[in-house]
Amino acid sequence: MNTDVEFHIRQNYPWNKLPANVKQSLGNSQREYEKYVLLYSIRHQLRFRNNLVRHVRKDERKYYEELLKYSRDHLMLYPYHLSDIMVKGLRVTPFSYYIGIMEDIMNSEKSYDSLPNFTAADCLRLLGIGRNQYIDLMNQCRSSKKFFRRKSARDLLPAKPVEISVEPWWVAQTGYITEDDIRICSTAEKKAIDKMIDSGPQLAGSMEYNVVLSLYNRGFIYLDVPISDDSCISVPPLEGFVMNRVQGDYFETLLYKIFVSIDEQTNVAELANVLEIDLDLVKNAVSMYCRLGFAVKKGTVFNSEQLHPTWKNAPSVNRLKSTMDPQKMLLSWEQGSPVMEGGSSATDTDTTSLEDQADTASVSSLSIPAAPTKRIAFLFDSTLTAFLMMGNLSPNLKSHAVTMFEVGKLSDETLDSFLAELEKVESTAEGEAQRYFDHALTLKNTILFLRYNKELTQDQGPDIPNIGFPLDMLRCESLLGLDQATCSRVLNKNYKLLVSMAPLSNEIRPISSCTPQHIGPAIPEVSSIWFKLYLYHVTGQGPPSLLLSKGSRLRKLPDIFQVYDRLLITSWGHDPGVVPTSNVLTMLNDALTHSAVLIQGHGMHGHGETVHIPFPFDEEDLKAEFSYSNMCTHKSLQKLKEHVDLKHQCGYITMLNANNRHRRRPSDSTECRDTFFQGDTHLGGGLDTNGSTESFELVTEENNGDGSKVKTDTLNAEDEWVPLELCFGMPLFSSELNRKVCRKIASHKLCCNESLQELLHSSRKLSLKVLSFVQSFQDTVQPSDMDTGVSNPLSQPPAESGVPLPALNLLFKDGQLKEWSGRAPPPLDISALQKDQPT
């Protein structure tokens, strides 16, 4: 649907008030507009009254029946915001709605994964049906067909809801109750119903606990979860979240947007203002979090004097304990951690279980002074969450990893429990699992360094206590779900500084931010293949590199790569991998059909050797001679400092020695090693674009951190080493490299205001230089292709959206960057392009 049309429907514009251009886009057809109004209203579960749809569809009941059918067919969440209509008018309760959905997918023999994440979580809460239970039901259903005892799916599904968790501050309202219903009610239930009919909706906590549950289970009442403008919520580690699939409907999209944006200090009205989303929609979303138990309401939510005595012995689900009877727990994903049937949790001030309050203290209660309003944000990508989910690192770490992935955020208030879980991770493991353990341990050290570190904030004013800054962890992909302006407002409101992990996967687009300042890639181009070529262009050094545009085809491997035993191959928007030269041609031509590809020489005798040099450089190291343990004096890096600010950023530069004739085999060494791909710097491992490891090999190398290894004169030769890549941010793949970068951040005072101001200016300069460099290779493109740099309608992958694809085949060789035509000598020399002036 056209975004202009959607906007005018949302603003309730009738046909006669539509602008001429919008009418034209609809073919000047009022009937077409009315069709869109109805479709939009049903998709967005809009109330009939006070919306444009009431002028289009006259029959209110029929409209709600269509809305309910669409929601059920598309497996959407029950429209709790329309409960008064659905329960009182149509007599469809959440339980009967989800029973209908479950019956539909069982009759269609669909897998459990067909349920969207939030819908599956609500089914688990109300029906008690998780993945394992669904598989069991499907097996029963199929076996009954074989033995002529055919049972319908409905016969196998529960007859009433499981016992749900109800908070005392929720509001009970009467549903559709007949005289026959009243006859079967107990005296206490009749009294409660009479009170709701006479006096209106009642707080659940003011009524007898068992009566509330009994009336709810029969569908005689429904429960509202009230959220006010000044309500604040916190999101503890997720329990009971079902990781199936994303549906993409309006409400699910909204839930994920608010997940990554919300914090404990921002109330609902402020959040709606920052996100520029209708306040009622934000309230609906926050209400849904509390209903599902994924968030808890902060502040005084219920007066203990009003609490009915029966609530004091009512079971309270403390999500942070996870101490329920294993027999009552359900698996939400295969081989996953157990999750609770109950949906909601006790809030910090909930009086549901007074005797348990000492045990249920939230991890958000930190034993530190009042925190500053602004925080540091550590940006990570999904590969880190994948590592934390894989390989049973510690018993309860998965719930935090699920939160990092699904919510997209771990706030400072939950980091204590996260660090406690990381403490339990062992330091050694076998085989590939060692990478997961290493990342977990290095992540723990990174959090401890950035969080409340007084060393980082020594320039605070005299009136401000120096306790450092709190730390939030944010997933880049979740932030990218927000539009750029909204993302900027959220970041500026909450954060003083952004710090990225390094390297971020090439499969995502990094966050661009001038304010707050960002220790990481300034713009997406700085995290792309273009920046490698820029690095080689300004230093005049680098491995032989050939960037082929999409659609190119090689009949033979270019001569410059014939001397190499291993090549480093990077498909556009994917992480690189090392491949043997012998079988590379077929794979290259296959990759070139859907992507631009960078080919680089890596090793002449097996794998090349890579060394990571952390920056900013120390003055003492710059005064010393070049050596294997001190490469920051390399001539290419001295030249690089004139073009890239290495003083106010942190990260590492990877140096490559392709002629590694004397390198020991990894199996010969008993010393500590770092494993990463291209000297394994990236998390993704050596995978091709299809995720296959058939053509790629992982590079395992010795730790280069201590400088204690004895190398021959050949290996110490400065000319044998060339820069391979530069990554901004904090590395997590090597604990030694991470430790060095942390030390440099503190010693060079990168987080002080003066340094951050310099970083702001240098990041802008670097961005302009890199963009100018990239644009210089797009000049030969037709005007219609300027936006993407390629005329093919198959646009670049989402990871590099906005980063131009190469319009020319480019070759870096002998210190010069040239256009490559596939013949020698190249016809056009581009190395004379304006070289950047020193900063």
Side-chain angles (χ1 to χ4, degrees), residues 84 162 451 515:
D84 55 332
V162 296
R451 187 177 184 231
T515 55

PDB file of all heavy atoms in Angstrom, residues 84 162 451 515:
ATOM      1  N   ASP A  84     -13.340  -5.401  24.856  1.00  0.00           N
ATOM      2  CA  ASP A  84     -14.733  -5.098  25.167  1.00  0.00           C
ATOM      3  C   ASP A  84     -15.653  -5.530  24.026  1.00  0.00           C
ATOM      4  O   ASP A  84     -16.764  -6.021  24.241  1.00  0.00           O
ATOM      5  CB  ASP A  84     -14.900  -3.601  25.464  1.00  0.00           C
ATOM      6  CG  ASP A  84     -14.387  -2.717  24.343  1.00  0.00           C
ATOM      7  OD1 ASP A  84     -13.465  -3.152  23.616  1.00  0.00           O
ATOM      8  OD2 ASP A  84     -14.897  -1.588  24.185  1.00  0.00           O
ATOM      9  N   VAL A 162      -4.892 -22.951  30.977  1.00  0.00           N
ATOM     10  CA  VAL A 162      -4.047 -23.333  32.104  1.00  0.00           C
ATOM     11  C   VAL A 162      -4.098 -22.190  33.115  1.00  0.00           C
ATOM     12  O   VAL A 162      -4.563 -21.086  32.800  1.00  0.00           O
ATOM     13  CB  VAL A 162      -2.591 -23.594  31.657  1.00  0.00           C
ATOM     14  CG1 VAL A 162      -2.521 -24.760  30.710  1.00  0.00           C
ATOM     15  CG2 VAL A 162      -1.977 -22.347  31.036  1.00  0.00           C
ATOM     16  N   ARG A 451      31.782  -0.479  32.081  1.00  0.00           N
ATOM     17  CA  ARG A 451      30.676  -0.172  32.996  1.00  0.00           C
ATOM     18  C   ARG A 451      31.188   0.424  34.301  1.00  0.00           C
ATOM     19  O   ARG A 451      32.000  -0.159  34.995  1.00  0.00           O
ATOM     20  CB  ARG A 451      29.912  -1.468  33.263  1.00  0.00           C
ATOM     21  CG  ARG A 451      28.635  -1.311  34.046  1.00  0.00           C
ATOM     22  CD  ARG A 451      27.972  -2.680  34.168  1.00  0.00           C
ATOM     23  NE  ARG A 451      26.687  -2.600  34.823  1.00  0.00           N
ATOM     24  CZ  ARG A 451      26.330  -3.350  35.854  1.00  0.00           C
ATOM     25  NH1 ARG A 451      27.186  -4.242  36.337  1.00  0.00           N
ATOM     26  NH2 ARG A 451      25.140  -3.214  36.398  1.00  0.00           N
ATOM     27  N   THR A 515      26.467  12.327  16.748  1.00  0.00           N
ATOM     28  CA  THR A 515      26.201  12.493  18.174  1.00  0.00           C
ATOM     29  C   THR A 515      25.121  11.494  18.561  1.00  0.00           C
ATOM     30  O   THR A 515      24.092  11.437  17.888  1.00  0.00           O
ATOM     31  CB  THR A 515      25.711  13.921  18.505  1.00  0.00           C
ATOM     32  OG1 THR A 515      24.577  14.222  17.698  1.00  0.00           O
ATOM     33  CG2 THR A 515      26.810  14.933  18.280  1.00  0.00           C
TER      34      THR A 515
END
